[in-house]
Structures are given as C-alpha cells and as structure tokens.
Amino acid sequence: MHANWFSHVNGVQPSSQMRGWLTDEMSLTMKLVARCEQFRIRRLVQQQAMVLADEYEMVALPRRLQVQEREVLLCCDENPVVYAHTIVPLSATASDWPFFGTLGERSLGTTLFGDPKVWRGELEYARLSAQHPLVVRAAAALGQALPAPLFARRCLYRRGQGLLLVTEVFLPNLATIRQNPHAERKS
C-alpha cells in the first residue's frame, strides 16, 4: 500500500500542535528527551526485509528489493510515542553507515545529527491509513488497534555514497507528554 507523501506539511493538514512535531528540524530524540522524565528506545527488529512499495524509489532502488531495516519505538516515561522505521539498501557499505548494524537500543537520530559527514534531505509528510504497513506494524508492536490516519514524516540521509531513509509515525500517546520542555517537571 502506498501513502501520499507531500513535500509541504500543509498537504496533510495537521493541527498546530502536530505541525510543530512534523516540521521541527531538530533531532526528534532530543525533542522527546526534553519532554519526559525517562526516554527510551525499544528496538523491535533489525533484519533484512523487502522494501515497502512507497520507499524503494527514495533510496534509488530500481524496484522492490531486500534492504536492511530497523524498527523501534521511542518511549517517553514508558509510553510509546513514535514508531520509527529505517531502511538502508544492501548496497551500502560499512564505511557508508558504520554504526547502523550495532545501534541496539541507542538512538539513530543522535548518531545522525552528531556526524558531520551526514547530509540531511528535505522532510516529507503523510497521513497513513490503518492499512499502511507501518501502521499495521506499529499496531502489532503495541498489541492494539490504532486510530487512523496517523501522521508521519520521512527524511532521506546520505553519508558518502550510502542512502538511509527514516520514517517516523506519530502515535496517539504523543498527546500525553509535556508540550513545553521548560514546564515544571513532574514530581
């Protein structure tokens, strides 16, 4: 299933609060860390898998082929707030993405934003239906149905000759975290 991806956030008509999450240029990890007492990455899977139908052209593949994929939940105070899906073509070398295979429960975003060799592309935005594979996977990881559509954004990164695509799906629990990072912390 394909999603309609837009180069401008207005294409998905987000609320002003969601617009802030979708368009912020800073690391999503850092933004979440500032809004919760305990931030954690929960790795779901890292494996070779078939690239999704709406992804392969983004990473310069001629058709749907196997890629290296990583799926995680970003959790604030034990509540999953973002489902993140990352793909790297199998043609990428260890020198392109030397850290990718060993991330474990560490943040990919912190690594990407901290590496001066990484070039970040433009953000794209979508509203993913309940049938989109990423919503289906997020729901399975959470063990519950998710209200759809869900807002998502994706960004292409380049390091050397290597391409890496990160898609972040914003989960309903995002509304439960502190919106102002300077607000008084919970007791």
Side-chain angles (χ1 to χ4, degrees):
M1 159 157 284
H2 284 270
N4 291 321
W5 290 94
F6 297 91
S7 59
H8 195 282
V9 73
N10 287 348
V12 296
Q13 303 175 340
S15 66
S16 60
Q17 182 180 345
M18 183 54 68
R19 177 184 292 267
W21 286 102
L22 290 168
T23 61
D24 199 320
E25 295 287 328
M26 75 183 289
S27 160
L28 182 59
T29 297
M30 296 310 296
K31 189 170 181 170
L32 291 170
V33 164
R35 287 165 172 77
C36 58
E37 294 291 324
Q38 181 187 19
F39 176 80
R40 180 168 90 89
I41 303 278
R42 193 169 98 205
R43 188 175 77 163
L44 302 171
V45 68
Q46 187 154 344
Q47 64 187 5
Q48 283 190 23
M50 186 63 69
V51 68
L52 298 179
D54 60 356
E55 292 179 329
Y56 72 90
E57 291 175 335
M58 287 290 295
V59 292
L61 292 175
R63 64 187 181 284
R64 291 189 67 202
L65 297 168
Q66 293 277 313
V67 292
Q68 190 69 246
E69 101 181 335
R70 179 176 192 252
E71 297 179 353
V72 299
L73 290 171
L74 282 62
C75 302
C76 279
D77 303 320
E78 296 303 317
N79 291 314
V81 294
V82 175
Y83 167 86
H85 172 80
T86 304
I87 61 163
V88 174
L90 295 180
S91 61
T93 66
S95 63
D96 292 331
W97 302 110
F99 51 80
F100 187 73
T102 59
L103 281 169
E105 304 251 317
R106 288 179 294 139
S107 166
L108 173 62
T110 302
T111 306
L112 291 174
F113 279 82
D115 186 337
K117 295 180 180 178
V118 173
W119 170 85
R120 184 180 187 197
E122 298 295 319
L123 289 168
E124 291 187 343
Y125 313 94
R127 291 177 91 154
L128 303 181
S129 73
Q131 293 78 34
H132 190 278
L134 297 182
V135 175
V136 170
R137 292 177 189 185
L142 297 172
Q144 66 186 54
L146 291 170
L150 292 178
F151 288 98
R153 70 179 191 176
R154 69 182 183 182
C155 190
L156 185 66
Y157 295 85
R158 181 183 305 272
R159 187 178 191 280
Q161 298 302 306
L163 298 175
L164 178 146
L165 181 66
V166 177
T167 304
E168 296 156 331
V169 180
F170 295 87
L171 302 173
N173 278 344
L174 187 67
T176 68
I177 67 171
R178 209 172 48 241
Q179 296 308 307
N180 181 350
H182 305 294
E184 202 171 307
R185 292 206 179 258
K186 299 174 224 166
S187 301

